[in-house]
Amino acid sequence: MIQIKSIQSTQTHIVRHPVLRPGKPISTCIFDGDDLPSTKHFGLYTNTDLIGVISVFENKNLIFSESNQLQIRGMAILQDHQGKGYGRLLVNEIENYAKSANTNLIWFNARESAAKFYKILGYQISGSLFDIEGVGLHYVMYKQI
Ligand SMILES: CC(C)(COP(=O)(O)OP(=O)(O)OC[C@H]1O[C@@H](n2cnc3c(N)ncnc32)[C@H](O)[C@@H]1OP(=O)(O)O)[C@@H](O)C(=O)NCCC(=O)NCCS
């Protein structure tokens, strides 16, 4: 059975750590703003196992003019479960949440390796590749909703 549920910030570390910060201290899985009331975390479960996470932050990127923006962060699916459609389900969940919160635009810093995944889901690239130190090359990507 597959279920997406609201989770606490610390639960995201179960997936953030092996997928996004492998070999790094667990403290690198704590993001600024994780525990703000406006920040939401969602987890995808297969039966009782948490295998995917995604978080959204109220954070306006000034390169976009839209007033109500949400930033996706910490999108990750455990390696053994990638490529089965779970990432798409989590992004869809965030888009539904964003619509209910009257968001105009979703944006995020996408790893270069994940840009095609987001393009398939209708997101566009803004600008050029840039480096996030210790994490790698990223594009800003966005979708008006
Ligand atoms: C990127 C990631 C979140 C995608 O989740 P997923 O569950 O593997 O993706 P899905 O199975 O839902 O894929 C949806 C579509 O995107 C494609 N896709 C998924 N990941 C892709 C990738 N890295 N490159 C190219 N296409 C990809 C799938 O083939 C599928 O295409 P289809 O609909 O034509 O069949 C996941 O692979 C992951 O956690 N990767 C490592 C961490 C990461 O890069 N996170 C994003 C940080 S910005």
Side-chain angles (χ1 to χ4, degrees):
M1 186 180 61
I2 294 160
Q3 262 188 307
I4 295 178
K5 296 192 235 177
S6 182
I7 58 173
Q8 298 298 313
S9 64
T10 48
Q11 290 178 278
T12 66
H13 302 174
I14 295 165
V15 182
R16 282 184 187 174
H17 194 229
V19 181
L20 298 175
R21 301 287 186 271
K24 297 192 175 162
I26 197 85
S27 58
T28 62
C29 296
I30 302 168
F31 299 165
D32 281 348
D34 258 347
D35 289 321
L36 289 173
S38 55
T39 300
K40 305 291 172 204
H41 307 279
F42 295 91
L44 187 144
Y45 290 79
T46 58
N47 300 314
T48 54
D49 299 329
L50 179 64
I51 59 104
V53 295
I54 190 168
S55 304
V56 277
F57 294 69
E58 270 185 26
N59 190 15
K60 190 164 157 59
N61 185 327
L62 294 176
I63 67 173
F64 302 113
S65 59
E66 280 78 359
S67 50
N68 294 328
Q69 302 181 15
L70 281 179
Q71 179 186 8
I72 292 177
R73 294 193 69 190
M75 168 76 202
I77 304 290
L78 288 178
Q79 192 168 7
D80 287 353
H81 298 273
Q82 291 174 8
K84 297 178 180 173
Y86 298 146
R88 184 195 295 271
L89 289 178
L90 275 175
V91 174
N92 287 347
E93 182 78 16
I94 288 301
E95 292 181 357
N96 288 335
Y97 167 74
K99 282 173 194 157
S100 73
N102 294 318
T103 301
N104 317 117
L105 180 127
I106 295 175
W107 71 276
F108 45 86
N109 298 321
R111 291 180 180 210
E112 183 185 22
S113 56
K116 193 163 173 211
F117 163 72
Y118 292 116
K119 277 189 187 169
I120 289 170
L121 301 187
Y123 289 81
Q124 299 179 60
I125 288 174
S126 171
S128 312
L129 268 179
F130 64 97
D131 190 46
I132 298 181
E133 201 185 332
V135 186
L137 294 173
H138 288 72
Y139 289 108
V140 172
M141 296 190 76
Y142 68 99
K143 189 198 261 188
Q144 282 148 335
I145 58 165

